Amino acid sequence: MSLLQLFRNITPYVKPYRLLVIFTLLLTLIGSLTAQVNAWVLRYTVDEISILLSEHKGLREGVTVLIIISAVLIGKEVLNAFIQFGQKFYGEKLRIYVSRDLAQTVIEKILTYKLAFFSSGGNQPGKLQTRIDRGIESLTRLVQNFFIDILPLFANSIVALIMMFNANFYVGLVGLCIVPIYFYVSVLQAEKMSGARRSIKELRENKSQGILGILESITVIKSFIRENIESDKQMGLQNSLTDAQMKTRRISFLFGGLKSFIEQIGVVIIIILTAYLVLSGQMTIGAIMFHIMLFGNVSAPIRQLHRIYDQMNDALIYSEAFFDILKADHQKEQSGSYKPERIIGKFEVKQVNFTYPDNEEPTLYNINMVINPRQSTALVGLSGAGKSTLINLLDKFYHPDSGEILLDGVSLEEYDTTFLRDNIGLVLQKNHIFNGSIDENIRYGNPNATYEQVVEAAKKSYIHDQVMALPQQYETSALALSGGQQQKIAIARMFLKNPPIIFLDEPTASLDAISTEQIKNSLDAIKKDRTVIIISHSISQIIDSHCIYVMKDGMVVESGTHEEIYHQNGTYTDIFNAMARSLNIDKISKTLEE
């Protein structure tokens, strides 16, 4: 991303605060003029004192000079105090506002993106978080420093340069010639550092993702005693990051020394030239200090170019990834406009093929099935057979590569996505619990539900009694519950939502036997007059289904009722018999007979 593109991208976020910008620019202009006062006062003081001394006059005659310069300098400092406060305060205010708007915009954007965005292009949570955080930080810091540091410095430099030319053309020319040389060196420095900066960006993203992975997998890490392995992985990243950072510092210090040398050469030339002009009678002694101070004002932004370029390059690198996220409109979820008065719940899947983003091998091959309304349909198959993927397609999280999915005779693509999902209840094997109370987590199924409805949903999922035994009851943090209790909270959400279509992906996998039986009874009750698709390794939930589809390697290999496909001695028979053996059915039967 070029600097021009960067400013074009950030302008819409600064534009709403244009009055704030105008006021800051006005303060900058005033501040650039007051910054030259010291040079004028110094020249006036040296020249006046030189005249007094040449006339053999002392303190009594020089009191007027002291009063004038004291009044001017104190007045200037008072004015500067207000100017600097205004620049810093309003610059910081602008930064905070722009940061807020950027953060809110990117959150609103990513919430509209389809799931394919989060599973492709290296968009893992840790990396996305780093891109967003670093992007906002570098952009807003650039906005703030532009008004607090960069703009005032360059305004001071331009005004000082104009004054140098006005006082003496040749001295002004020296100051002008130093600037492009210094600027060229700074540009060269930025080019040398750009590769290392990109490496640092990628390494920081990988580091954040690695830390997030450790936190999410800490139980597994400790159970396998793999702390040393994870530590070594992070050490490798840290060493690579350190090497890249040291490279940037080495380049920075080398070019810093070169730029300091160039600046000092400029000062030497100014001193020699002004001394010559004084000796030749073309300039007063005070003009020597006058031009040296003005040159200091001209070179001030030059001394800051390194820092400014650092910030700009950070902004260019991180904003590129940030605006890639912000402008990924092609990743927005597709939505039709069809909203029927009621959904019956008949799905027809016709010759559907699907491949996950960034995968080479298809996940689903030529899927054909009919899911009848108000009936329970089970999807059976080994792990990786494509069962959960099929549910993702039915919920419109992903779209088929080819083929068609119909709901009540209408293509799923034509349905309004929000309307469709509002009529589907989804319970996963591992459901996310938000940072909030039990009440808030259950109410996620219906934000407008009453407290009584929340309690009723909790009773249906057999969590109510356990909640009431807690000190804060429904105000208890949901994160404090066990895994099984959290699963009941997720099921309570679905009861509260009360949709006509229900997808159940291993809903009782993390529950104990008694809870599983309780939930099964509740699910049996809610299944009535609803279209239900269930993925489960529970024999009881499978054999109760009206229809069973058996999947293997992304294909449907068998279908029918339990009795029909069991006697085919195929994949379903093998899976069912394995389930029965895992439950030790023979011993259970003998125990029950006794």
Side-chain angles (χ1 to χ4, degrees):
M1 181 177 290
S2 68
L3 192 59
L4 182 60
Q5 289 174 320
L6 171 62
F7 279 106
R8 282 178 178 171
N9 283 326
I10 203 163
T11 295
Y13 300 95
V14 178
K15 195 173 181 180
Y17 310 108
R18 51 186 172 272
L19 292 178
L20 195 59
V21 172
I22 292 170
F23 184 66
T24 306
L25 291 175
L26 182 61
L27 289 175
T28 299
L29 177 61
I30 298 171
S32 65
L33 294 173
T34 60
Q36 318 310 321
V37 170
N38 283 0
W40 285 98
V41 170
L42 184 59
R43 183 174 72 168
Y44 169 79
T45 303
V46 171
D47 288 343
E48 287 298 314
I49 291 176
S50 296
I51 293 171
L52 289 172
L53 291 175
S54 65
E55 296 176 354
H56 303 288
K57 294 180 180 179
L59 181 60
R60 183 179 298 176
E61 291 80 4
V63 169
T64 304
V65 175
L66 294 177
I67 292 173
I68 292 172
I69 62 174
S70 298
V72 171
L73 291 176
I74 292 172
K76 188 265 295 186
E77 291 303 326
V78 171
L79 181 60
N80 258 356
F82 285 102
I83 292 172
Q84 289 180 10
F85 170 80
Q87 284 179 323
K88 291 180 180 180
F89 176 77
Y90 292 112
E92 179 69 9
K93 185 177 181 180
L94 182 63
R95 183 195 69 80
I96 292 172
Y97 284 1
V98 171
S99 176
R100 176 197 63 188
D101 295 348
L102 284 170
Q104 185 62 26
T105 301
V106 75
I107 291 298
E108 291 176 357
K109 280 280 187 178
I110 62 175
L111 285 172
T112 67
Y113 294 161
K114 52 192 177 184
L115 283 184
F117 171 79
F118 302 96
S119 58
S120 63
N123 292 327
Q124 293 94 337
K127 291 186 176 182
L128 275 178
Q129 182 179 356
T130 301
R131 290 174 197 169
I132 292 171
D133 289 346
R134 296 289 297 184
I136 293 174
E137 178 188 347
S138 60
L139 283 168
T140 52
R141 189 172 62 243
L142 182 63
V143 169
Q144 179 193 28
N145 290 343
F146 180 78
F147 291 102
I148 293 178
D149 295 330
I150 301 173
L151 193 59
L153 282 170
F154 276 92
N156 293 348
S157 179
I158 292 169
V159 172
L161 198 58
I162 291 172
M163 289 183 175
M164 286 180 72
F165 270 105
N166 184 60
N168 186 279
F169 175 79
Y170 295 105
V171 179
L173 193 61
V174 172
L176 182 62
C177 290
I178 293 296
V179 173
I181 297 172
Y182 203 101
F183 186 78
Y184 171 75
V185 173
S186 294
V187 171
L188 194 62
Q189 176 185 359
E191 291 176 354
K192 291 284 185 182
M193 294 175 68
S194 61
R197 289 186 181 282
R198 289 189 179 276
S199 297
I200 290 173
K201 168 186 167 291
E202 292 174 5
L203 288 166
R204 279 174 173 162
E205 290 179 1
N206 292 333
K207 178 183 171 184
S208 294
Q209 183 61 31
I211 292 172
L212 187 62
I214 288 174
L215 296 176
E216 290 178 344
S217 311
I218 191 65
T219 304
V220 176
I221 292 169
K222 286 187 173 296
S223 68
F224 282 92
I225 322 172
R226 296 295 180 262
E227 291 91 341
N228 289 339
I229 292 178
E230 295 302 324
S231 176
D232 290 343
K233 287 180 184 178
Q234 286 300 304
M235 179 57 74
L237 286 173
Q238 292 283 12
N239 287 336
S240 298
L241 182 59
T242 300
D243 291 342
Q245 288 173 328
M246 288 305 299
K247 182 180 179 181
T248 62
R249 292 297 91 196
R250 184 168 58 252
I251 295 172
S252 175
F253 294 146
L254 285 172
F255 278 90
L258 178 59
K259 289 185 289 186
S260 178
F261 174 76
I262 293 170
E263 181 185 354
Q264 293 307 311
I265 288 294
V267 173
V268 170
I269 294 173
I270 293 290
I271 292 172
I272 294 172
L273 182 57
T274 51
Y276 167 77
L277 292 172
V278 169
L279 292 173
S280 63
Q282 300 178 49
M283 188 179 288
T284 64
I285 295 175
I288 297 178
M289 300 305 298
F290 174 71
H291 282 98
I292 290 174
M293 289 196 70
L294 287 179
F295 182 73
N297 288 341
V298 171
S299 61
I302 296 176
R303 289 194 297 271
Q304 298 294 328
L305 273 177
H306 165 64
R307 182 172 61 84
I308 293 167
Y309 256 89
D310 276 355
Q311 293 170 357
M312 283 189 173
N313 276 282
D314 271 351
L316 289 172
I317 291 170
Y318 286 105
S319 65
E320 185 176 7
F322 177 79
F323 283 112
D324 281 345
I325 297 172
L326 207 57
K327 295 187 174 183
D329 291 333
H330 62 286
Q331 295 286 1
K332 281 189 175 181
E333 284 196 305
Q334 300 173 15
S335 178
S337 57
Y338 182 61
K339 295 181 181 180
E341 291 185 5
R342 59 189 291 265
I343 286 181
I344 298 172
K346 180 180 181 180
F347 283 99
E348 297 172 80
V349 183
K350 299 182 178 180
Q351 297 181 332
V352 164
N353 294 279
F354 174 72
T355 305
Y356 278 107
D358 295 342
N359 282 8
E360 295 182 0
E361 294 295 323
T363 305
L364 298 178
Y365 301 84
N366 196 32
I367 302 295
N368 290 278
M369 63 173 62
V370 175
I371 297 168
N372 291 312
R374 303 184 184 89
Q375 290 186 5
S376 176
T377 301
L379 301 180
V380 177
L382 301 178
S383 298
K387 307 182 295 297
S388 297
T389 299
L390 182 58
I391 282 184
N392 285 335
L393 294 180
L394 295 177
D395 215 346
K396 214 175 174 183
F397 291 143
Y398 294 92
H399 300 269
D401 300 336
S402 61
E404 188 177 28
I405 300 176
L406 304 178
L407 174 58
D408 296 340
V410 179
S411 173
L412 215 60
E413 303 295 323
E414 296 183 23
Y415 274 84
D416 179 273
T417 302
T418 301
F419 172 83
L420 176 70
R421 291 179 187 160
D422 195 40
N423 285 273
I424 294 176
L426 177 63
V427 179
L428 302 173
Q429 180 176 348
K430 185 178 180 181
N431 286 275
H432 183 75
I433 297 298
F434 297 93
N435 184 18
S437 67
I438 294 173
D439 178 85
E440 290 170 338
N441 270 271
I442 296 177
R443 202 180 292 274
Y444 209 76
N446 180 6
N448 299 318
T450 63
Y451 175 76
E452 289 73 21
Q453 290 172 319
V454 170
V455 171
E456 183 61 27
K459 288 179 178 178
K460 289 180 179 179
S461 64
Y462 293 90
I463 189 66
H464 173 71
D465 291 340
Q466 292 172 302
V467 172
M468 295 305 291
L470 297 171
Q472 294 179 284
Q473 299 180 346
Y474 280 90
E475 293 306 312
T476 303
S477 171
L479 295 176
L481 301 177
S482 68
Q485 290 172 324
Q486 290 182 357
Q487 184 71 348
K488 289 182 180 181
I489 295 296
I491 294 172
R493 285 181 197 157
M494 190 264 294
F495 282 123
L496 193 61
K497 188 175 183 179
N498 196 26
I501 300 172
I502 298 173
F503 297 155
L504 304 170
D505 190 349
E506 294 287 355
T508 59
S510 59
L511 300 179
D512 56 70
I514 294 176
S515 296
T516 298
E517 183 183 11
Q518 293 173 338
I519 294 299
K520 181 183 179 301
N521 294 334
S522 294
L523 292 177
D524 288 342
I526 202 172
K527 283 178 185 178
K528 293 177 181 178
D529 297 323
R530 286 180 173 83
T531 301
V532 178
I533 301 175
I534 184 168
I535 298 173
S536 178
H537 292 104
S538 169
I539 290 177
S540 62
Q541 293 180 6
I542 292 172
I543 61 178
D544 283 346
S545 300
H546 296 90
C547 181
I548 300 170
Y549 283 95
V550 184
M551 299 185 69
K552 182 180 181 180
D553 298 329
M555 296 179 286
V556 174
V557 293
E558 297 166 7
S559 64
T561 63
H562 166 70
E563 290 78 11
E564 290 172 347
I565 58 176
Y566 180 76
H567 296 291
Q568 294 178 9
N569 295 320
T571 301
Y572 179 75
T573 306
D574 293 339
I575 293 173
F576 186 86
N577 288 340
M579 288 181 184
R581 287 194 298 271
S582 68
L583 292 174
N584 209 344
I585 292 292
D586 292 339
K587 192 169 184 178
I588 292 174
S589 299
K590 290 179 182 178
T591 301
L592 292 175
E593 288 173 1
E594 294 174 0

